[in-house]
Amino acid sequence: MNTIKKFLFLSALSAAIISCSKDDNNNSGSDKDGIITSLTDSDYNANALKGKIGANITLPVGEYILDGALVVSSPYTLTIMPGTTFKARPGGTDVYVAVEQGAKINAAGTAAAPIKFTSNSGNPRSGDWGGILIMGKAPISGGGSATTEVVDFTFGGSDAADNSGTLTYVVVEYTGARINSDKEFNGFTFYGVGSGTTVNNIVSKYGDDDAIEFFGGTVNVTNLLVVNAKDDMFDYTQGYSGTIDNAYGIREFGYNDASNDPRGIEGDGNFDGLSPTQSGQSNPTMTNITIVSNSVVSLSDVVKVRRNSKGTFTNIFVSLGASAPAPNDFVDCTDGAGDADGATTITIIGTGTNLDINDNKAGVNNATINASSGTSGGANITAFGWTGYFI
């Protein structure tokens, strides 16, 4: 073989070897593109899980290290088996789980085998990682679509029954990483999520911002436990009109971390009160809710409904521990950017040495506030037996 032919032969052989190496999915990293299309894809690594889900993927039951953003892309579904645990790399706002519009998450744990998302730190703290974000196509105030508060996903639309999948028997811990003073993650954030989505038996513990927040949408949530949220226990805005039934939120004795205005319930009709004339303002139904504060840090308000929000709030039970100072208000339906809509009705029972059940503000639209003293009511705590929190 002459020199030229030999050179051409060796070049072709080398190219063939390189091509085979790139196609053999041997996790060498040579063909990584950030998109996970199978469990043999070189981008899939259970010990450093991150990237875009670019196919229907089922993760086997086990333990995973979440090392960055894990984003489920449309139109695919990420299925997580009962009993699976995710441990998030701490200290980064780039570590979170997101489900895009048109995609689904199927995280269906069981009471005996819940699904857990927690911190991988040896000394876990609130704010160690982002949290779970789901973006849907359900309506938001003003109609159309919008961009998420963090990491710039699109949400909103006209499909009130949109289905983003299932979250059942799911626990998140040490969430709420902060991008800046105005942008932070929550434990669970539902952006324009529709009523076709199944959400029940979920827990948010030690969040650095809100435990759960709804930006518009129509999703219904049943059996929600919140433990030690730095800011609000239950928060909604931008046209949320779903239902929350049987929810229990507590600030424990000794838990003294707090934002400037921690609340039990905070509800806005439109985003930040910037659009008071928008159509489709928030109008949720919240039933069988318990709010407990045993911390020496005062709640700003127990219930704050404002900025043109409507709402029906029934069987809200509030308990203040002996060391808990009086909140600024028991129920406050006023705000500089707009008071609550007059159709708002709040029925609330309270107990506690420092609690004044008559410290209420109905606002210029005269929201209906039915407040009374009592030592029982609110959530049925037996629904949370699977968490092991109540003894």
Side-chain angles (χ1 to χ4, degrees):
M1 184 181 295
N2 62 39
T3 301
I4 293 176
K5 288 183 177 181
K6 184 176 182 180
F7 174 78
L8 292 173
F9 172 77
L10 291 174
S11 296
L13 179 61
S14 176
I17 292 172
I18 291 172
S19 176
C20 290
S21 176
K22 290 180 71 175
D23 291 338
D24 65 3
N25 272 338
N26 63 0
N27 281 334
S28 66
S30 59
D31 61 341
K32 288 188 176 183
D33 58 5
I35 302 174
I36 301 171
T37 57
S38 72
L39 298 184
T40 59
D41 193 308
S42 61
D43 286 285
Y44 171 74
N45 184 348
N47 295 314
L49 189 61
K50 61 183 177 181
K52 284 199 168 190
I53 301 298
N56 293 326
I57 299 289
T58 297
L59 296 179
V61 62
E63 183 175 290
Y64 297 83
I65 305 300
L66 192 61
D67 193 48
L70 185 66
V71 179
V72 187
S73 302
S74 179
Y76 304 112
T77 298
L78 172 65
T79 299
I80 301 170
M81 300 303 291
T84 297
T85 296
F86 295 83
K87 293 185 175 181
R89 170 173 54 82
T93 56
D94 61 333
V95 183
Y96 55 87
V97 176
V99 182
E100 293 183 343
Q101 279 188 319
K104 290 184 175 68
I105 184 169
N106 181 22
T110 66
I115 295 167
K116 187 175 184 178
F117 295 81
T118 189
S119 170
N120 196 38
S121 171
N123 182 29
R125 301 172 62 88
S126 59
D128 271 354
W129 65 290
I132 296 178
L133 302 79
I134 301 181
M135 280 60 66
K137 300 178 181 179
I140 61 176
S141 59
S145 62
T147 302
T148 56
E149 184 180 37
V150 293
V151 295
D152 294 343
F153 291 102
T154 297
F155 69 98
S158 58
D159 186 0
D162 188 37
N163 182 0
S164 295
T166 299
L167 287 179
T168 61
Y169 295 100
V170 174
V171 180
V172 297
E173 299 178 329
Y174 308 109
T175 58
R178 292 177 177 268
I179 294 174
N180 56 45
S181 60
D182 297 319
K183 293 186 176 183
E184 56 276 317
F185 291 88
N186 305 298
F188 297 96
T189 311
F190 296 101
Y191 288 99
V193 176
S195 61
T197 308
T198 300
V199 183
N200 59 61
N201 296 292
I202 61 173
V203 180
S204 177
K205 301 170 71 175
Y206 294 99
D208 201 57
D209 194 48
D210 302 326
I212 185 168
E213 185 166 9
F214 303 84
F215 290 81
T218 55
V219 66
N220 304 313
V221 178
T222 305
N223 299 338
L224 165 61
L225 174 63
V226 171
V227 179
N228 295 337
K230 187 174 180 179
D231 195 32
D232 306 319
M233 298 174 182
F234 315 110
D235 194 345
Y236 69 83
T237 186
Q238 209 165 354
Y240 175 60
S241 59
T243 65
I244 300 174
D245 182 27
N246 207 60
Y248 187 104
I250 183 170
R251 291 180 63 86
E252 297 176 316
F253 179 78
Y255 180 75
N256 300 324
D257 290 344
S259 66
N260 292 330
D261 52 3
R263 297 183 171 109
I265 298 172
E266 180 180 285
D268 293 358
N270 59 91
F271 185 66
D272 284 348
L274 300 176
S275 305
T277 62
Q278 279 184 338
S279 61
Q281 306 253 341
S282 297
N283 187 16
T285 299
M286 298 182 68
T287 308
N288 306 320
I289 313 295
T290 294
I291 297 168
V292 178
S293 181
N294 293 326
S295 172
V296 298
V297 174
S298 173
L299 290 173
S300 178
D301 310 284
V302 178
V303 175
K304 178 86 164 182
V305 181
R306 59 185 181 180
R307 299 171 180 174
N308 295 330
S309 174
K310 298 179 184 177
T312 302
F313 304 82
T314 306
N315 190 25
I316 312 298
F317 175 69
V318 179
S319 175
L320 248 60
S323 301
N328 291 348
D329 298 288
F330 190 38
V331 177
D332 184 6
C333 293
T334 68
D335 188 78
D339 294 355
D341 188 282
T344 300
T345 300
I346 301 170
T347 303
I348 187 166
I349 303 166
T351 184
T353 302
N354 298 318
L355 186 64
D356 181 0
I357 65 166
N358 297 310
D359 184 13
N360 305 310
K361 298 174 181 175
V364 297
N365 298 315
N366 293 313
T368 300
I369 302 172
N370 300 310
S372 60
S373 295
T375 57
S376 63
N380 175 8
I381 66 171
T382 62
F384 307 110
W386 65 273
T387 68
Y389 183 75
F390 298 97
I391 297 175

